[in-house]
Amino acid sequence: MTNPVTITAPEGLPFIEIEREFDAPVAAVFNAHRDPELVKRWLGPDGYEMRVERWDFEPQGGYRYLHVDPEGEEYAFNGTFHSVRENEFAVQTFEYEGFPDVVAVESIAFEDLGGGRTLLRIHSTYPSLAARDGMVQSNMEVGLRDGYARLDGVLAA
């Protein structure tokens, strides 16, 4: 049984809030976001291959990766890591290259719940309500749930 993902898109605001608890310490959850070899094992929907071209999880670092679906269709994403505080917090931009120039700013907080448990909180701000709604309608929920379920396995290993 995995912990549920809570996704909130407040009416009339260009935000998405995501929360998920993990049965693992903050340092392990943070490292699974920092280490590109671990990221490749969990990020994205089930059945998709992930190719990481760049993953520098550090201040002023950047990333670009592709998800490849079972039919070979590629979906590319890129962004910049603006702030990264070990085991605490990160700020990044997020852009799906299929919709260029729609860039979200995301804050990611890693909260120690005690007892070797972590709460991950993500706040995404989109440039418009239409852009936010497009992300919500893109089936992002499936990719988040699938990915976080796989992250549980990565953290347990």
Side-chain angles (χ1 to χ4, degrees):
M1 174 78 184
T2 68
N3 296 312
V5 178
T6 302
I7 302 169
T8 307
E11 187 172 335
L13 297 173
F15 308 134
I16 297 174
E17 304 280 348
I18 301 163
E19 290 189 358
R20 171 64 151 72
E21 292 183 13
F22 293 91
D23 299 322
V26 166
V29 177
F30 184 86
N31 190 55
H33 283 76
R34 173 180 42 205
D35 183 334
E37 291 306 311
L38 295 178
V39 171
K40 284 180 4 182
R41 293 174 49 194
W42 68 264
L43 185 63
D46 287 345
Y48 285 54
E49 173 192 355
M50 183 174 178
R51 295 187 203 142
V52 175
E53 292 183 358
R54 178 178 179 209
W55 193 271
D56 301 314
F57 194 68
E58 61 189 26
Q60 289 75 53
Y63 68 90
R64 184 170 192 271
Y65 64 87
L66 295 97
H67 284 299
V68 184
D69 72 17
E71 290 77 39
E73 184 87 21
E74 296 181 346
Y75 304 91
F77 303 86
N78 73 77
T80 301
F81 298 111
H82 292 267
S83 301
V84 177
R85 289 195 312 263
E86 180 126 1
N87 299 330
E88 289 181 30
F89 187 75
V91 175
Q92 69 182 36
T93 59
F94 175 84
E95 179 179 18
Y96 167 52
E97 293 178 11
F99 289 102
D101 305 325
V102 176
V103 179
V105 177
E106 299 183 334
S107 62
I108 307 167
F110 301 83
E111 182 180 329
D112 187 348
L113 297 175
R117 300 190 74 243
T118 301
L119 174 62
L120 185 70
R121 294 180 197 255
I122 301 171
H123 176 86
S124 298
T125 303
Y126 287 83
S128 68
L129 191 55
R132 190 282 313 257
D133 289 347
M135 178 56 77
V136 170
Q137 294 165 2
S138 74
N139 223 6
M140 66 172 270
E141 184 176 331
V142 172
L144 282 169
R145 287 200 171 122
D146 290 352
Y148 287 154
R150 284 197 314 281
L151 179 52
D152 285 336
V154 169
L155 294 168

